[in-house]
Amino acid sequence: MPTLMIQGCTSDAGKTTIVAALCRILLRRGIKVAPFKPQNMALNSAVTADSGEIGRAQAMQAVAAGIAAHTDFNPVLLKPSSDCRAQVIIQGKSIGNLDAVDYHAYKQTAKKAVFESWGRLQNQYEWVIVEGAGSPAEINLREGDIANMGFAEEADCPVWLVADIDRGGVFAHFVGTLSCLSVSEQARVTGFIINRFRGDIKLLQGGIDWLEQTTGKPVLAVVPYLHGLDIAAEDAVPRTAGNGGDFKIVIATLPHISNHTDFDPLRRIQGVDCSYATPNQPLPAADLLIIPGSKNTRGDLEWLRSQGWDKQIEKHLRFGGKVIGICGGYQMLGQSIADPLGLEGKAGDSKGLGWLPIATSLEQDKQLRNLSGHLSANGEEVTGYEIHHGETQILDGNATPLIKYANEHDGIITEQVLGCYLHGLFDSSEALKSLLAWAGHQVAEVVDHQQLLEQEIDRLSDALDQAIDWEKAKQAGLNIS
């Protein structure tokens, strides 16, 4: 069945959003489409309908395609726990931690999973839109590649190259990338997409003509810069702080911060100044401090202490501030964290920050599940997912749980500190208002998270649909007339 691959000249060129937009465009035309990313390296992940784990970008693309997220959409997910080591997720399940050399040797096994998943998608969908990873021009990563041209060559699919003109050097990106490819790979590139263009396109025409004459390949679309587009980047912590306001929220930027998308709803609230703390700087003054998830909880806790942030959190609480911990941040707020198997680094125990009566041990089996429940205080509905190795024991039988599920509880809430495992805690509008009220800020209206995502996907898709020369696209391998 038809497959098209979108590769980028650089990271953050716009591959993720172009794939999402194409999925939505095909969906609008009544075509059954699925997103696919053979190999992803990201610390932002989501739990799928089949109880596995994939990159959050592919979960967002599934929304664009109008289907439930599935592990086949991202069969290989690498979650770095250090500069040279990562947890390897194969078709939704962790197979353990590997360093770069060991993973290189494992690639043939990973490749089998990639093509198994792609094969199943081919049998279920009319089109598969594939996202590459980083750039195909990384010469040192070419051997055994399953993320870019290695996949495209074996799958025998056309490739569209995307470059971000807002960064500058867009024509050099295209020509330079092609020059790093083999002859067969160059032939596989059937067109270019220039992304994030500002200004009058007539002023770009001379460059487009030169590029097409030089390479013999068409420019399929010049996509305009969409100001304020609110679709989370693959893995980068947001560059902007939020709406500004008198109520201050500061998020601790940990070295291995995971699922920072948890906090996107906070950045959208009028009257709230939500920012990420800068490493190697004191924590800014705040009304609410948040400790996010981490892929290396004990290592990041040690780093947090080395920054002196533990003492600043103590001072923050002494002066009446509030603190929230999510997942790894929840574990850090407890009395102790044990990692007897060395799942996130060196085996051992760490003393927690001591603000919640819990003790955590990291266990081999990973908790992966989608959940719905209610805040224990006022009953507001919450929906999200859990991804963690931690088994957490409540040390105080009188502690107040934060969330009540059908048959269990999650988290603890006190007068100044709360924490839980649930990612997506702030996605529900009513729960968000309740949690902000606990933190000391009353807000009447908040943005509906899911509605906003749908609107932004539609906005992006409208722009791409209008920008593409569909006759050229047909010749370049996307025939959806």
Side-chain angles (χ1 to χ4, degrees):
M1 301 300 291
T3 295
L4 170 69
M5 190 170 196
I6 306 300
Q7 296 184 14
C9 294
T10 62
S11 294
D12 200 30
K15 299 183 297 292
T16 297
T17 51
I18 295 297
V19 168
L22 287 172
C23 285
R24 178 56 57 92
I25 289 169
L26 268 63
L27 175 66
R28 289 172 173 174
R29 285 162 166 75
I31 297 170
K32 192 176 180 183
V33 59
F36 183 67
K37 184 157 186 168
Q39 176 182 287
N40 196 352
M41 178 175 283
L43 288 174
N44 286 333
S45 57
V47 176
T48 62
D50 56 327
S51 300
E53 184 178 1
I54 62 173
R56 280 203 65 79
Q58 280 61 67
M60 180 274 291
Q61 290 163 350
V63 172
I67 52 180
H70 192 279
T71 51
D72 280 338
F73 298 166
N74 177 205
V76 179
L77 173 62
L78 309 177
K79 302 185 76 173
S81 56
S82 71
D83 288 347
C84 300
R85 193 171 177 83
Q87 184 180 59
V88 180
I89 313 292
I90 300 295
Q91 292 175 332
K93 303 299 180 184
S94 171
I95 59 95
N97 293 279
L98 298 176
D99 61 28
V101 174
D102 289 339
Y103 178 68
H104 185 74
Y106 182 81
K107 269 189 177 180
Q108 285 303 311
T109 302
K111 179 179 178 180
K112 292 179 182 178
V114 165
F115 282 94
E116 283 176 2
S117 291
W118 177 63
R120 283 193 289 265
L121 295 181
Q122 281 192 303
N123 291 329
Q124 296 173 45
Y125 295 91
E126 297 174 78
W127 272 90
V128 179
I129 307 298
V130 185
E131 179 184 346
S135 164
E138 306 296 345
I139 304 301
N140 56 307
L141 301 177
R142 295 285 295 281
E143 184 181 353
D145 171 56
I146 58 175
N148 289 300
M149 283 299 178
F151 172 84
E153 290 274 71
E154 187 149 338
D156 192 21
C157 67
V159 172
W160 293 1
L161 271 182
V162 181
D164 179 2
I165 195 171
D166 197 52
R167 294 182 171 198
V170 69
F171 302 112
H173 283 161
F174 284 130
V175 175
T177 298
L178 285 177
S179 71
C180 293
L181 304 180
S182 69
V183 173
S184 65
E185 291 168 348
Q186 289 175 4
R188 193 163 296 285
V189 176
T190 57
F192 304 123
I193 293 181
I194 297 174
N195 197 24
R196 301 183 183 126
F197 175 71
R198 308 176 193 236
D200 189 335
I201 196 170
K202 291 194 290 289
L203 298 177
L204 187 63
Q205 193 59 51
I208 292 174
D209 294 341
W210 175 88
L211 180 64
E212 292 183 335
Q213 292 166 8
T214 300
T215 64
K217 301 179 187 295
V219 173
L220 304 172
V222 177
V223 185
Y225 189 101
L226 299 179
H227 292 274
L229 183 68
D230 199 346
I231 295 178
E234 175 85 280
D235 216 30
V237 172
R239 300 170 185 169
T240 56
N243 290 304
D246 295 332
F247 188 79
K248 309 287 186 183
I249 299 176
V250 171
I251 302 160
T253 312
L254 304 173
H256 302 95
I257 183 173
S258 63
N259 289 68
H260 62 72
T261 49
D262 284 341
F263 314 114
D264 286 348
L266 299 175
R267 298 189 298 111
R268 300 180 181 125
I269 302 171
Q270 295 297 327
V272 169
D273 180 5
C274 182
S275 63
Y276 284 82
T278 303
N280 302 315
Q281 297 291 330
L283 289 172
D287 299 288
L288 171 63
L289 288 175
I290 297 179
I291 306 176
S294 166
K295 193 63 197 70
N296 187 339
T297 306
R298 291 175 57 239
D300 281 358
L301 176 58
E302 181 181 352
W303 177 89
L304 183 151
R305 286 193 166 109
S306 74
Q307 300 283 303
W309 287 2
D310 57 332
K311 300 300 183 184
Q312 293 171 56
I313 293 171
E314 180 180 354
K315 181 179 179 181
H316 168 80
L317 289 166
R318 190 166 65 247
F319 281 86
K322 303 294 179 74
V323 175
I324 292 176
I326 303 294
C327 199
Y330 172 47
Q331 296 170 352
M332 292 182 196
L333 288 170
Q335 305 301 309
S336 62
I337 306 169
D339 186 1
L341 303 175
L343 296 173
E344 293 187 347
K346 186 177 179 181
D349 299 342
S350 295
K351 182 180 179 181
L353 296 174
W355 296 107
L356 289 176
I358 60 173
T360 298
S361 178
L362 304 186
E363 305 295 337
Q364 183 69 55
D365 292 338
K366 197 173 191 179
Q367 190 73 259
L368 296 167
R369 55 181 183 166
N370 292 298
L371 290 163
S372 293
H374 297 85
L375 294 181
S376 58
N378 298 310
E380 293 88 357
E381 184 177 2
V382 291
T383 300
Y385 56 97
E386 290 186 1
I387 300 178
H388 58 89
H389 282 286
E391 292 289 338
T392 293
Q393 178 185 2
I394 307 296
L395 304 177
D396 180 358
N398 295 318
T400 302
L402 176 64
I403 302 170
K404 293 182 178 179
Y405 300 122
N407 299 309
E408 60 183 304
H409 297 151
D410 177 33
I412 292 177
I413 183 170
T414 71
E415 184 178 350
Q416 286 186 271
V417 181
L418 68 80
C420 68
Y421 276 116
L422 190 71
H423 295 286
L425 180 65
F426 304 111
D427 288 357
S428 164
S429 298
E430 294 306 310
L432 175 55
K433 288 190 281 188
S434 178
L435 292 166
L436 284 173
W438 168 86
H441 183 66
Q442 299 291 334
V443 57
E445 296 292 335
V446 295
V447 174
D448 184 302
H449 175 75
Q450 195 60 36
Q451 183 180 26
L452 176 65
L453 177 59
E454 291 285 353
Q455 290 172 349
E456 293 296 81
I457 291 173
D458 281 339
R459 179 183 170 209
L460 175 66
S461 303
D462 289 343
L464 181 61
D465 202 349
Q466 293 172 20
I468 286 183
D469 183 323
W470 285 105
E471 188 56 38
K472 287 183 178 180
K474 180 179 179 180
Q475 298 300 318
L478 186 60
N479 184 0
I480 59 170
S481 56

